[in-house]
Amino acid sequence: MEREAALTGRQRGASGESGGCKPLRIARPRSLATLVTDQIRDLIVDGRLPPGGQLSESMLAEKLGTSRTPVREAFGKLEAEGLVEVRPQRGTFVVAFDPGEVRQTCELRGILEVGALQIGCERDRTGLCAALRANVDAAAAAVGPPVENYHPFDTAFHDLIVRSGGNDQLNEAYARVAGRVRRLRFHFIRTLEKIQGSQRDHLAIVEHLEAGRDEAALATLRHHVHLAHRGFLEALEQPGPATG
């Protein structure tokens, strides 16, 4: 699996950097339920499990090559993230897009990201700037069709901001909306114009931070999240399939 390969690669990199001088911190293997949750979340984010669709424990268990127990556990975790809804006596369904829920998700996202950026600047400005600059530089090659190539860089940019604060409780709060934000991004950021605009905003945030213009960086981030929110709502109002 790609995630397992990425983990292995990071472990090899850590080993090479240690030079035998520092003990390695061995990453704990993720539980089967966590792996299944990640896989189902990805299926929901990219629309392979469509909004409003009913989910079958047995079908997903067969598809993912596991028993029904980790699938059932995954449903509980994904319900807490607002991606599925468990309806007693009826079943489990992928949550449909709702303007009110989108508004609340984007409002919370903005509060958490702006707060994390403020903390991150105080905690390690140099490291934060370097990480965001690397992301923006790498993303430049993905700004073009197909637009899906840009989405991982977009997600990573905002994840870097949140993690920069080093606040575990803030990270946990963001994790509860991160899947919904990824899903909105995948469904509604579907044009070259939109990903170009996203990349411009990211670059502006980095340049403001590098120049010590913190208030300008925070204002740009707020505006960036607001524009995304407005774009999501406009897309919801358009007739036809959500992924149109």
Side-chain angles (χ1 to χ4, degrees), residues 152-227:
F153 294 100
D154 194 356
T155 297
F157 183 89
H158 294 278
D159 286 348
L160 285 168
I161 288 176
V162 172
R163 291 199 304 270
S164 72
N167 186 309
D168 290 341
Q169 293 188 33
L170 191 154
N171 293 343
E172 290 173 5
Y174 191 78
R176 289 195 288 272
V177 300
R180 279 174 275 167
V181 173
R182 282 180 56 210
R183 184 179 178 223
L184 289 166
R185 185 180 292 127
F186 189 93
H187 279 264
F188 300 131
I189 299 182
R190 306 293 298 174
T191 67
L192 181 59
E193 179 183 7
K194 287 185 177 180
I195 65 172
Q196 287 173 335
S198 174
Q199 176 73 350
R200 282 195 301 270
D201 286 351
H202 290 182
L203 178 59
I205 291 168
V206 174
E207 290 178 341
H208 286 316
L209 291 174
E210 291 173 337
R213 299 187 296 266
D214 292 4
E215 288 304 317
L218 293 168
T220 302
L221 179 58
R222 290 190 192 97
H223 183 64
H224 178 70
V225 174
H226 173 72
L227 284 181

Side-chain angles (χ1 to χ4, degrees), residues 8-25:
T8 303
R10 287 196 297 271
Q11 290 173 331
R12 283 198 295 266
S15 177
E17 292 170 3
S18 67
C21 298
K22 296 181 181 179
L24 292 177
R25 180 178 297 176

Side-chain angles (χ1 to χ4, degrees), residues 28-208:
R28 294 182 179 179
R30 292 180 299 165
S31 69
L32 179 58
T34 298
L35 291 171
V36 170
T37 301
D38 289 346
Q39 291 174 324
I40 297 175
R41 183 188 298 109
D42 287 345
L43 294 173
I44 293 172
V45 165
D46 67 16
R48 283 177 286 174
L49 294 175
Q54 185 169 7
L55 303 178
S56 164
E57 284 185 9
S58 57
M59 181 274 289
L60 284 169
E62 181 178 357
K63 181 181 182 68
L64 300 176
T66 186
S67 68
R68 295 173 61 175
T69 299
V71 174
R72 190 176 305 117
E73 292 179 29
F75 285 173
K77 293 179 181 179
L78 294 171
E79 184 177 33
E81 294 179 19
L83 290 174
V84 307
E85 178 184 5
V86 179
R87 303 175 189 171
Q89 310 303 320
R90 295 186 59 189
T92 301
F93 298 80
V94 178
V95 171
F97 292 111
D98 173 77
E101 186 273 335
V102 170
R103 175 182 59 79
Q104 293 182 33
T105 295
C106 291
E107 287 175 348
L108 179 56
R109 173 198 176 192
I111 291 169
L112 294 174
E113 289 192 23
V114 170
L117 184 57
Q118 290 176 308
I119 298 171
C121 287
E122 297 173 359
R123 181 171 176 264
D124 182 9
R125 171 185 298 278
T126 301
L128 174 59
C129 287
L132 294 179
R133 169 62 70 175
N135 172 279
V136 169
D137 290 347
V143 179
V147 296
E148 290 84 356
N149 290 346
Y150 179 74
H151 290 156
F153 294 100
D154 194 356
T155 297
F157 183 89
H158 294 278
D159 286 348
L160 285 168
I161 288 176
V162 172
R163 291 199 304 270
S164 72
N167 186 309
D168 290 341
Q169 293 188 33
L170 191 154
N171 293 343
E172 290 173 5
Y174 191 78
R176 289 195 288 272
V177 300
R180 279 174 275 167
V181 173
R182 282 180 56 210
R183 184 179 178 223
L184 289 166
R185 185 180 292 127
F186 189 93
H187 279 264
F188 300 131
I189 299 182
R190 306 293 298 174
T191 67
L192 181 59
E193 179 183 7
K194 287 185 177 180
I195 65 172
Q196 287 173 335
S198 174
Q199 176 73 350
R200 282 195 301 270
D201 286 351
H202 290 182
L203 178 59
I205 291 168
V206 174
E207 290 178 341
H208 286 316

